[in-house]
């Protein structure tokens, strides 16, 4: 089901499938900032990645000697969430464990996903709770696909990423199966700006583990429209558009966790970058999307 949130500045659509943002529109002039999920390029708009980020090696992992399988980015984005509460400018959904989830992820959990509008910002709030009697391991991340170009008539190459702080970082390259390699790649970011072109994504997403900036803006050299993602305390960031080129969007993705390395042995408790919760413990994560 699709729900509408509104304030004086924004009109936002969210669906219960995946608790996913489907539209972020500026009311003053109807400018749309979020990709619409047209499957010609990519059927999602802003999926929540849970309980893994990225791909498992061979799609499998082990817990206490038992083997399980999960699709890339987990099952959160393909699950139907339950509506918990709704106001004119806010909404919250919940996804709980079931006998079916236990077959692929052996922990009892609850994931709450909320959205709150404040002036020109969408605040995204995740709460993960361990309802099991044993320690729980998970990852969680964002995958927002933002229109690029934002302004009709402009080109993808007219845009650039502007970082809050001067960066000096190199990417973590992925192999053809979506696993990280141990050496750094050649897609370096130096300074506060990274010009965009399709060729830079020819080998899949650009992922970074050394980003200092908590905020990244998508800006144009031709117009003033822009969008900023602010995610404090997220240790990994990814940037992606389909490698064939031509897609009119760019994903800006703050993560807690990442894809497996090429030589990962499959033991889930050792999965680098993952979060851990004690029985009954809950963690909250949040980030904001601001239009300019």
């Amino acid at each position: 089901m699709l729900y509408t949130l509104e304030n004086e500045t924004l009109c936002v659509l969210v669906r219960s499938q995946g608790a996913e943002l489907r539209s972020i529109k500026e009311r003053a002039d109807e400018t749309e900032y979020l990709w619409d999920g047209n499957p010609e390029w990519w059927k999602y708009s802003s999926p929540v990645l849970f309980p893994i980020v990225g791909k498992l090696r061979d799609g499998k992992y082990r817990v206490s000697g038992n083997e399980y399988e999960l699709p890339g980015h987990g099952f959160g984005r393909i699950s139907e969430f339950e509506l918990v509460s709704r106001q004119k400018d806010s909404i919250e959904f919940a996804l709980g464990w079931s006998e079916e989830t236990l077959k692929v992820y052996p922990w009892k959990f609850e994931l709450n996903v909320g959205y709150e509008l404040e002036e020109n910002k969408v605040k995204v709030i995740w709460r993960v709770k361990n309802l099991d009697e044993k320690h729980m391991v998970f990852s969680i991340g964002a995958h927002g696909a933002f229109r690029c170009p934002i302004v009709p008539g402009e080109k993808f190459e007219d845009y650039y990423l502007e970082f809050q702080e001067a960066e000096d970082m190199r990417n973590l390259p992925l192999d053809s199966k979506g696993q990280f390699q141990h050496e750094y790649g050649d897609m370096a970011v130096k300074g506060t700006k990274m010009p965009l072109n399709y060729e830079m994504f020819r080998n899949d997403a650009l992922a970074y583990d050394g980003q200092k900036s908590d905020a990244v803006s998508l800006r144009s050299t031709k117009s003033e429209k822009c969008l900023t993602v602010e995610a404090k305390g997220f240790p990994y960031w990814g940037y992606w558009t389909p490698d064939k080129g031509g897609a009119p969007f760019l994903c800006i993705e703050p993560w807690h966790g990442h894809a497996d390395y090429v030589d990962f042995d499959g033991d889930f408790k050792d999965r680098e970058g993952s979060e851990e919760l004690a029985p009954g413990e809950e963690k909250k994560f949040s980030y904001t999307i601001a239009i300019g």
Side-chain angles (χ1 to χ4, degrees), residues 20-71:
E20 183 183 15
L21 280 170
R22 296 296 287 182
S23 174
I24 302 174
K25 189 172 288 187
E26 189 173 7
R27 297 185 67 177
D29 58 9
E30 297 294 302
T31 297
E32 176 63 70
Y33 288 83
L34 195 65
W35 170 243
D36 64 5
N38 185 334
E40 176 186 357
W41 289 106
W42 194 52
K43 66 180 181 180
Y44 299 99
S45 296
S46 185
V48 181
L49 314 182
F50 177 87
I52 61 171
V53 171
K55 293 182 179 180
L56 298 165
R57 184 184 176 195
D58 299 324
K60 302 175 181 179
Y61 68 99
R62 296 189 317 279
V63 176
S64 300
N66 297 312
E67 188 173 82
Y68 302 88
E69 296 186 22
L70 277 173

Side-chain angles (χ1 to χ4, degrees), residues 168-174 180-190 200 202-203 205-209 261:
D168 185 5
M169 58 184 181
R170 295 167 63 192
N171 67 304
L172 297 165
L174 294 158
F180 279 124
Q181 303 173 64
H182 284 288
E183 71 276 8
Y184 284 96
D186 58 5
M187 291 305 302
V189 180
K190 292 185 179 293
M200 63 199 294
R202 66 190 183 281
N203 294 319
L206 298 178
Y208 298 91
D209 66 350
Y261 279 98

Side-chain angles (χ1 to χ4, degrees), residues 9-11 22-36 45 120 122 144-151 159 218 224-228 248-250 289-292:
T9 305
L10 299 172
C11 181
R22 296 296 287 182
S23 174
I24 302 174
K25 189 172 288 187
E26 189 173 7
R27 297 185 67 177
D29 58 9
E30 297 294 302
T31 297
E32 176 63 70
Y33 288 83
L34 195 65
W35 170 243
D36 64 5
S45 296
N120 66 327
V122 181
F146 303 107
R147 289 186 179 271
C148 186
I150 298 171
V151 176
Y159 284 73
L218 178 63
E224 297 299 316
K225 295 288 187 184
C226 70
L227 176 139
T228 299
F249 65 85
L250 176 76
I289 303 165
I291 65 168

Side-chain angles (χ1 to χ4, degrees), residues 113-277:
V113 177
Y115 300 97
E116 298 176 358
L117 307 188
E118 183 178 335
E119 297 179 346
N120 66 327
K121 296 179 180 179
V122 181
K123 185 175 183 180
V124 185
I125 304 164
W126 305 322
R127 291 187 290 112
V128 184
K129 187 171 184 178
N130 181 4
L131 301 179
D132 218 309
E133 297 178 353
K134 56 184 181 290
H135 278 69
M136 172 180 152
V137 181
F138 70 97
S139 294
I140 193 165
H143 204 321
F146 303 107
R147 289 186 179 271
C148 186
I150 298 171
V151 176
E154 296 182 350
K155 299 181 297 182
F156 187 88
E157 292 81 5
D158 293 329
Y159 284 73
Y160 62 94
L161 290 176
E162 183 174 69
F163 296 88
Q164 179 186 47
E165 298 186 40
E167 302 288 352
D168 185 5
M169 58 184 181
R170 295 167 63 192
N171 67 304
L172 297 165
L174 294 158
D175 70 4
S176 60
K177 295 181 179 180
Q179 312 316 151
F180 279 124
Q181 303 173 64
H182 284 288
E183 71 276 8
Y184 284 96
D186 58 5
M187 291 305 302
V189 180
K190 292 185 179 293
T192 59
K193 293 184 179 180
M194 182 167 73
L196 296 174
N197 62 75
Y198 288 119
E199 180 64 17
M200 63 199 294
F201 299 97
R202 66 190 183 281
N203 294 319
D204 208 340
L206 298 178
Y208 298 91
D209 66 350
Q211 183 171 308
K212 293 182 290 185
S213 299
D214 289 329
V216 181
S217 298
L218 178 63
R219 295 186 179 275
S220 171
T221 60
K222 300 285 184 66
S223 61
E224 297 299 316
K225 295 288 187 184
C226 70
L227 176 139
T228 299
V229 175
E230 182 174 9
K232 295 181 179 180
F234 282 67
Y236 306 99
W237 288 72
Y239 305 93
W240 177 77
T241 194
D243 58 9
K244 61 182 177 181
F249 65 85
L250 176 76
C251 292
I252 301 176
E253 311 175 37
W255 303 327
H256 280 270
H258 57 70
D260 285 345
Y261 279 98
V262 292
D263 57 354
F264 181 61
D265 69 2
D267 193 336
F268 206 64
K269 67 179 175 59
D270 296 328
R271 196 164 190 257
E272 187 172 328
S274 294
E275 299 289 324
E276 186 171 334
L277 291 175

